[in-house]
Amino acid sequence: MMQDLLILGIESSCDETAAAVVKGGRTVLSNVISSQIDIHTLYGGVVPEIASRKHTERINQVIRQALQEADVTLSDIDAIAVTYGPGLVGALLVGVAEAKALSFATGIDLIGVHHIEGHISANYIEHTELEPPFMSLVVSGGHTHLVNVPAYGEYEILGRTRDDAAGEAFDKVARAIGLGYPGGPKIDLAAREGNPDAIAFPRAHVDASAYDFSFSGLKSAVLNYLNGCEMKGETISVPDVAASFQKAVVDVLVTNSMMACEEHSCKKFALAGGVASNSALRHAMEEACRERGIDFYVPSPVFCTDNAAMIAVAGYYEYQKGIRSDLTLNAVPNLPLGER
Ligand code: KG4
Ligand code: ZN
């Protein structure tokens, strides 16, 4: 029975070592995440070499714990879904090698999963009624993709960032105003005390492609503002800068997303990725959807940032379509969405 299908998900594309067991594609039996944030904070960002080493140290224990918490053993698992791209190649390789070794030793089916497909699929976990077609915005540390999802496992990219990803912009601005790494959650928190209309930062729209994003101009505008204040001997209000920057990002994300929904007559919208845990973005997008009669979906914050439950869910729908990977599966750091 497909409803009873048990998938072990493995995720190691960046700085989280994660494993999860998901039943029937939607029920999370366990979701173990070992974050390396403490170590990378010392360096102000993710150090790829350290990330790979930490994944290697932790992955066996994380998988063991995921099986234990789900109260299953490897012999109960029907398929192993692993992120094989995009991401840091050395980090991805740890998960891929682990999944291949487990599959080889046990004969369990192997499914390579696209990380972004995982982020979008995180929406299926708590919204059991959600089914394609829908529109999705994936905003993470490495990606900003506006994606039309006509059917399970099918993705049509309408827009993407021309330069920095949304999460990357949060991280860089946070560093510039002294909030440190990881920037997103810290800006989110600081912005709650600030005035989002205090500073008029630019809303960049890319002329050639209406759905594309650009955040490097906004980042430069923040840096220029900070330099200007320093030269004039003015002290900055960190909450005001955080709130004004955040609003500029949120405005553009909401505008492009709603334009995509309207032009594609789409009545369902699903937000995804680490930046989807941003409280201002969740609130503004929900409001914009409500005004237009569009059903709004977003995962709980724990399923927005990197986790393996979302990889297991994406793997379930690939499995149902008959997709299997063999032992030649390799890490692909720049894997395009929607291709195998
Ligand atoms: O999806 P994710 O965990 O990893 C990638 O696939 O990149 O996203 C991480 C990104 C980081 O840039 C982090 O600063 C951002 O998501 N982020 C947030 C928030 N929580 C995480 N950005 C804004 N507000 C948040 N609350
Ligand atoms: Zn991610």
Side-chain angles (χ1 to χ4, degrees):
M1 285 288 281
M2 282 292 195
Q3 296 101 292
D4 295 331
L5 204 83
L6 281 182
I7 305 227
L8 170 66
I10 300 175
E11 155 65 38
S12 70
S13 67
C14 191
D15 60 347
E16 261 96 26
T17 318
V21 178
V22 173
K23 186 178 172 182
R26 303 238 177 183
T27 308
V28 176
L29 301 185
S30 64
N31 186 34
V32 179
I33 304 166
S34 171
S35 173
Q36 306 176 0
I37 279 181
D38 291 357
I39 308 155
H40 298 291
T41 298
L42 302 174
Y43 303 93
V46 178
V47 183
E49 175 63 23
I50 295 176
S52 317
R53 285 176 191 224
K54 290 294 159 194
H55 286 311
T56 309
E57 277 172 31
R58 294 174 180 184
I59 197 152
N60 283 314
Q61 177 52 31
V62 166
I63 292 172
R64 200 171 297 130
Q65 196 181 330
L67 293 169
Q68 267 167 11
E69 287 181 15
D71 203 18
V72 298
T73 63
L74 255 189
S75 57
D76 300 313
I77 298 293
D78 296 294
I80 301 168
V82 63
T83 308
Y84 73 111
L88 302 169
V89 68
L92 287 165
L93 274 171
V94 177
V96 170
E98 178 82 15
K100 288 203 295 188
L102 286 175
S103 172
F104 179 66
T106 59
I108 300 173
D109 283 329
L110 178 69
I111 311 159
V113 169
H114 192 289
H115 185 74
I116 299 296
E117 176 173 20
H119 274 302
I120 295 171
S121 303
N123 275 287
Y124 297 134
I125 297 170
E126 293 153 300
H127 308 297
T128 46
E129 75 286 12
L130 176 63
E131 289 189 338
F134 58 86
M135 193 66 69
S136 184
L137 175 73
V138 188
V139 269
S140 73
H143 306 271
T144 308
H145 279 18
L146 194 50
V147 188
N148 189 22
V149 186
Y152 285 114
E154 287 180 27
Y155 306 98
E156 183 197 350
I157 300 173
L158 302 178
R160 65 178 85 219
T161 181
R162 294 294 182 95
D163 37 62
D164 292 351
E168 201 177 347
F170 269 93
D171 294 335
K172 286 177 177 170
V173 167
R175 194 176 308 153
I177 55 177
L179 291 175
Y181 174 86
K186 292 189 172 163
I187 288 195
D188 193 345
L189 215 59
R192 289 177 203 182
E193 312 298 322
N195 172 8
D197 301 314
I199 309 147
F201 290 131
R203 272 71 170 151
H205 290 282
V206 181
D207 288 339
S209 170
Y211 297 129
D212 278 356
F213 304 94
S214 167
F215 295 108
S216 70
L218 170 60
K219 179 190 66 191
S220 302
V222 175
L223 296 179
N224 287 343
Y225 172 81
L226 297 176
N227 285 338
C229 290
E230 199 182 329
M231 285 186 352
K232 285 181 261 168
E234 292 170 9
T235 49
I236 63 151
S237 157
V238 169
D240 281 354
V241 177
S244 301
F245 158 76
Q246 181 173 271
K247 188 168 182 217
V249 175
V250 168
D251 275 358
V252 174
L253 294 177
V254 172
T255 304
N256 287 14
S257 300
M258 291 303 104
M259 188 168 67
C261 285
E262 279 166 6
E263 288 180 5
H264 288 77
S265 307
C266 199
K267 285 288 163 206
K268 286 185 266 182
F269 180 83
L271 193 56
V275 183
S277 49
N278 182 272
S279 55
L281 177 60
R282 294 166 82 94
H283 185 259
M285 199 69 90
E286 182 169 21
E287 192 62 24
C289 284
R290 202 183 47 73
E291 283 166 8
R292 292 165 179 80
I294 297 168
D295 292 335
F296 174 70
Y297 302 90
V298 64
S300 294
V302 68
F303 294 123
C304 287
T305 43
D306 288 350
N307 66 87
M310 67 184 197
I311 302 303
V313 174
Y316 172 84
Y317 288 104
E318 296 289 353
Y319 188 91
Q320 275 203 321
K321 291 200 308 192
I323 287 166
R324 309 284 185 273
S325 302
D326 61 27
L327 294 176
T328 63
L329 184 71
N330 201 357
V332 185
N334 54 359
L335 183 68
L337 181 63
E339 282 178 32
R340 292 217 144 252

